[in-house]
Amino acid sequence: MIALRGLTKEFPGGVRALDGLDLEIADGEFFALLGPSGCGKTTLLRTIAGLETPTSGNIWIGGTEVTSVPPGKRDVAMVFQDYALFPHMDVTANVAYPLRIRKVPRARREARAAETASRLSLSELLARRPAQLSGGQQQRVALARAVACHPRAFLFDEPLSNLDARLRLEARTFLKRLQRELAVTTVFVTHDQGEALALTDRIAVMSAGRFTQVGTPTEVFQRPANTFTAAFIGSTPMNLLPGTAGDGALRVAGAVLPLPGGVPDGPIVYGVRPEYMDLSLTPRADAFAGKVAVVENLGTAHLVTLESGEHLIQTVVPEGAEPSPGTAAWAVPRPGRALVYRDDRLVSPCPANGANR
Amino acid sequence: MRRGSRWFAALMISPTLLVLVLVVLYPLLAAARESMYVRGEGLDADGFVVEGERFVGVANYAGLVGERFVNAFANTTVFTLATVAVETVLGVAMALVMHGVLRGRGLVRASILIPWAVPTAISGLMWRWVFQADGVANAIIGQKILWTTEGVQAKLAVIIADTWKTAPFIGLLVLAGLQIIPDMVYEAAKVDGASAWQTFWRITLPLVKPALVVAVLFRILQALAMFDLPFVMIGRGKFSVETLSALIWDEATQLRYGPAAAYGIVLIAYVSVIVFVFVRLLGADLLADARSRKERA
């Protein structure tokens, strides 16, 4: 278990990288720190590792307070973005290095390194140096180094971001299975929302040193708590449009839409994912009217951008149904899929409650 | 390779080869030839040096077993071993300091490097002043040692002065080597729990080895050819600090070109053997690494 209480890190010059963070990560949980660059996610990971000292607040790992414990005594293993392998050591020596520091006898640590390496399909490469390995192999060596010392927690700093796209998908699946098998608490830093959704049990979305939302991938994807999270999560950005609630309806960008229960009258922000809208070529009142400006091929679908007054509205249409640019079209939000924000807080109720529409 | 392109390749490198032949091979062969002749034997009735030369075979090499050559050879070896060993330790320490300081970095680096920038003859004079009978050195240790007269203390003075001057050189090259080690490697070691001492021996030193090997090699070459510092500090022809270079120079200035050339040849052979052994012992790993990388490509 990893716990944070009021964790704050201020860098010289007054930059607040971490701003009073509270968090509990359960034993064996695969936990993502997700956010754009500069949001503090890497600083948080490094603070958990002990490479940075917090300005205030406390950290517990496995029930022990470790706030002022040096990194090597926290019993965590870290995988760095550039892997940080030791260039002058072969794979065996790299994997066995943490064990060597712990004075594990040579025969035992080399056996453990070989065993871990075989689990990560590195058996053929034991005598190689990092410079003689491909990016994917280096990444697995870095993982093996972390796995071999049986730590209380894994700390991963964007370990997949230096791999090419196809390899990244393979490595992702592999990583998820490995984490399940080992059941070691894992904190995973990423700026890739897809990676966070696919891999982890829970996600903390970060912005400017704070958590904007902490929840399961499903929660974060379906019910983003604020417009920042709404805009950040999802492979195509969510449509976020200003509007007003009143007279039993939502008026957004020229469309009159059903008012979900529990939304008070007044200005709102209306959010709907491009995947949750259908495109109609005939006029409808409960739809956003516009002109097709751009059509982007996504492979199995197309992303259509409508120009609707001063707004751009995006919707995903299935293969073969894409309109040609310049035609008039209407984007129809699917019932129950819309999110309504007021003062940057989600106010529309869960669709499961049946209150929507 | 096709025959035509091989000739073309030979043509393209011929200017370089020509220059090498002129500035390296010819002087070497000329020196080797010189070492087997005797020239300018004595003066004629009018006081002029007698012209002409005479082949004497290996007679010029007879001096190799003489006391003066053996002494110069021993001095050169002692100076090289002592100065390079101390300088390596000090240089690495200096590099770590220069690499480590965060504030006033420029000032620290400049002050460490100043000794290297001072011309050897000038620093020789400076150290002679330090090692005067009533000089700074004696004042500090509260002794009355005659540093700059014949004896072991003269050797020690030369070693101290040379170390002062050239440890920064090793420091500079090692600093360059330190700067290319990514911070992340140190952080990985830190998370693994390595102590500062373990990190230095197992991470820093092996990674900085390529730069260190080059620096030490340069220093060995320079130290084996040492001439100016003992000359300026202690004086000409001083037995206890006479190096091979100094001996050769002395022979040549006294018109004994043959023995001078013979000693020169021996010095070159000595330097070659030392460098070969050094590269074999410490550089072998480097070469293996380069070879395996080549095989993979």
Side-chain angles (χ1 to χ4, degrees), chain B residues 75-90 155-156 158-160 162-163 219 223 226:
Chain B
N75 281 346
T76 305
T77 308
V78 167
F79 284 151
T80 302
L81 286 178
T83 60
V84 174
V86 177
E87 283 160 23
T88 303
V89 175
L90 283 181
K155 284 190 178 57
L156 189 62
V158 168
I159 288 169
I160 290 171
D162 192 60
T163 304
R219 278 300 306 139
M226 189 197 286

Side-chain angles (χ1 to χ4, degrees), chain B residues 1-246:
Chain B
M1 205 190 285
R2 279 181 300 113
R3 214 181 149 67
S5 66
R6 197 184 291 179
W7 277 109
F8 186 65
L11 185 69
M12 293 313 280
I13 59 167
S14 59
T16 312
L17 286 178
L18 192 68
V19 170
L20 286 177
V21 164
L22 277 176
V23 304
V24 178
L25 195 63
Y26 172 71
L28 202 60
L29 291 177
R33 181 189 174 280
E34 183 84 54
S35 74
M36 287 183 276
Y37 283 82
V38 173
R39 268 207 284 161
E41 292 168 285
L43 308 174
D44 63 16
D46 299 322
F48 289 109
V49 174
V50 175
E51 297 285 330
E53 54 184 18
R54 186 165 58 84
F55 181 77
V56 293
V58 295
N60 285 332
Y61 289 85
L64 293 189
V65 293
E67 195 191 356
R68 196 168 173 203
F69 178 86
V70 171
N71 170 65
F73 188 89
N75 281 346
T76 305
T77 308
V78 167
F79 284 151
T80 302
L81 286 178
T83 60
V84 174
V86 177
E87 283 160 23
T88 303
V89 175
L90 283 181
V92 170
M94 284 174 175
L96 291 172
V97 169
M98 287 190 280
H99 190 59
V101 289
L102 298 173
R103 230 178 275 179
R105 190 175 257 190
L107 193 70
V108 171
R109 286 186 188 175
S111 53
I112 284 183
L113 290 174
I114 281 174
W116 174 246
V118 176
T120 311
I122 308 297
S123 63
L125 287 174
M126 199 185 77
W127 280 99
R128 195 168 75 183
W129 174 76
V130 169
F131 283 120
Q132 282 174 27
D134 56 351
V136 179
N138 278 341
I140 289 173
I141 59 173
Q143 302 280 329
K144 286 272 172 218
I145 297 174
L146 298 173
W147 294 95
T148 51
T149 53
E150 291 274 13
V152 185
Q153 75 281 2
K155 284 190 178 57
L156 189 62
V158 168
I159 288 169
I160 290 171
D162 192 60
T163 304
W164 174 84
K165 180 176 165 48
T166 46
F169 171 77
I170 292 187
L172 188 67
L173 290 194
V174 171
L175 176 65
L178 283 178
Q179 283 171 336
I180 57 166
I181 303 176
D183 286 344
M184 232 184 235
V185 171
Y186 292 120
E187 293 188 337
K190 221 190 227 177
V191 174
D192 290 341
S195 64
W197 191 244
Q198 285 169 323
T199 306
F200 175 74
W201 283 105
R202 304 231 184 283
I203 311 289
T204 312
L205 209 54
L207 288 178
V208 91
K209 200 180 101 180
L212 186 60
V213 167
V214 170
V216 170
L217 190 61
F218 281 11
R219 278 300 306 139
I220 290 177
L221 293 177
Q222 279 182 326
L224 286 172
M226 189 197 286
F227 174 78
D228 38 10
L229 199 58
F231 189 101
V232 176
M233 268 179 79
I234 315 296
R236 176 178 176 174
K238 290 287 167 65
F239 199 68
S240 50
V241 294
E242 189 172 61
T243 61
L244 283 176
S245 290

Side-chain angles (χ1 to χ4, degrees), chain A residues 277-297:
Chain A
M277 290 212 283
D278 295 307
L279 201 66
S280 163
L281 295 176
T282 52
R284 289 175 64 151
D286 60 344
F288 303 107
K291 205 172 74 181
V292 177
V294 183
V295 178
E296 292 164 61
N297 193 335

Side-chain angles (χ1 to χ4, degrees), chain A residues 299-336:
Chain A
T300 57
H302 286 80
L303 180 65
V304 176
T305 305
L306 295 184
E307 231 169 40
S308 171
E310 78 253 45
H311 302 297
L312 291 177
I313 296 169
Q314 292 191 307
T315 160
V316 172
V317 303
E319 275 177 290
E322 65 275 17
S324 42
T327 53
W330 286 261
V332 191
R334 287 184 204 154

